[in-house]
Amino acid sequence: MDKTVLITGSSRGIGRETAIYLAKNGFDIVLHCMKNVEKAEEVKTEIEKLGRTARILQFDVADREQTKIVLLNDIEQNGVYYGVIINAGITADNAFPAMEDEEWDRVINTNLNGFYNTLKPLILPMIQNRKGRIVALSSVAGLAGNRGQINYSASKAGIIGAVKTLCREVAKRNITVNCVAPGVIESDMTAEVPFDMIKESIPMRRMGTPKEVASVINYLMSEDASYITGQVISVNGGMY
């Protein structure tokens, strides 16, 4: 079985850890970045040291036409992906009354429209292939909301709704579609989070690690998860 997986936003953080984790478990990886090619090259080298193949695609998931062209060119040359992991995302936090239009649009266009822009050109080839795995990264903020993150929370809640619908449309083609919803995870995105102020909201009293998220994604990519679809799996230390 072809076990090639595309991971958007895989030059750092959860995406990077997931790429390496999946490579260790026998998957070939299509890495993605928008700007940081140097970091993506570092991940590619690590994957190749594990004996798996990797290549890098560079595009902005918020740019629909660019995303479509790059992805269709890649699968025409290399074949349809077995798995797609929608991980690329950004934040632009602000209280709602002070939020700028640009902050709302930028987060929605990257996080939610990026889901559509990435999957739209890939879904018919996957359906024709009659197999596949799709995992989209949501967030505890998409499940419960979070002060100062109305744009981020809306985008991540939208992903959950999209997953729950898409899974019904493609299930008979042996394609599963699931969400993983991390809590507070050690990453660049949380580097400036004042942990002392939020630790009381985390029953385990610690941040999660990217590896703990990657291990769940790896399971959802596996044959063992072939009857799991339309689910939201939280990795959040017991929050909410």
Side-chain angles (χ1 to χ4, degrees):
M1 176 185 291
D2 179 13
K3 298 184 75 176
T4 299
V5 177
L6 167 70
I7 307 172
T8 65
S10 42
S11 64
R12 60 190 178 91
I14 290 171
R16 178 186 186 279
E17 189 66 40
T18 300
I20 294 169
Y21 200 106
L22 290 178
K24 288 178 179 177
N25 284 275
F27 291 92
D28 295 319
I29 307 297
V30 181
L31 298 163
H32 158 262
C33 65
M34 184 174 74
K35 294 179 180 178
N36 205 335
V37 178
E38 185 177 339
K39 287 290 185 183
E41 288 284 359
E42 292 174 6
V43 183
K44 179 176 181 288
T45 298
E46 286 197 48
I47 290 169
E48 290 171 342
K49 287 178 180 177
L50 295 169
R52 306 308 307 181
T53 66
R55 61 184 181 273
I56 299 168
L57 302 181
Q58 186 177 6
F59 57 90
D60 179 0
V61 297
D63 185 327
R64 184 165 299 158
E65 191 62 24
Q66 181 190 51
T67 300
K68 177 181 177 181
I69 290 169
V70 172
L71 291 175
L72 289 180
N73 284 344
D74 188 60
I75 64 173
E76 182 178 352
Q77 294 175 30
N78 299 289
V80 181
Y81 311 132
Y82 172 70
V84 180
I85 299 168
I86 306 295
N87 170 72
I90 62 170
T91 59
D93 297 350
N94 211 340
F96 188 52
M99 182 162 287
E100 300 289 341
D101 292 350
E102 183 274 336
E103 292 172 325
W104 174 272
D105 291 341
R106 180 156 48 92
V107 171
I108 296 296
N109 287 338
T110 298
N111 298 0
L112 185 55
N113 290 348
F115 173 98
Y116 177 88
N117 296 344
T118 301
L119 282 179
K120 186 60 163 57
L122 300 178
I123 198 66
L124 270 179
M126 291 181 75
I127 288 171
Q128 291 163 356
N129 221 27
R130 302 186 68 87
K131 62 183 178 184
R133 299 279 188 272
I134 296 169
V135 175
L137 274 290
S138 181
S139 169
V140 65
L143 289 164
N146 192 35
R147 183 186 298 270
Q149 288 195 313
I150 191 168
N151 49 2
Y152 185 74
S153 298
S155 69
K156 293 300 186 177
I159 284 174
I160 291 172
V163 162
K164 286 186 172 291
T165 298
L166 183 58
C167 75
R168 294 173 177 267
E169 296 185 3
V170 300
K172 65 183 179 182
R173 300 297 184 182
N174 297 314
I175 299 170
T176 65
V177 190
N178 291 288
C179 260
V180 174
V184 184
I185 306 297
E186 296 170 1
S187 69
D188 293 347
M189 194 176 285
T190 58
E192 297 182 8
V193 171
F195 183 67
D196 287 343
M197 294 177 62
I198 64 170
K199 68 179 181 181
E200 294 300 319
S201 68
I202 307 172
M204 295 194 77
R205 298 296 190 269
R206 67 172 178 87
M207 291 189 185
T209 67
K211 185 176 180 180
E212 288 171 318
V213 180
S215 66
V216 175
I217 296 171
N218 178 72
Y219 171 67
L220 292 172
M221 286 283 138
S222 73
E223 287 298 314
D224 290 341
S226 59
Y227 200 57
I228 298 174
T229 196
Q231 304 306 303
V232 182
I233 301 177
S234 294
V235 185
N236 63 22
M239 293 177 75
Y240 306 103

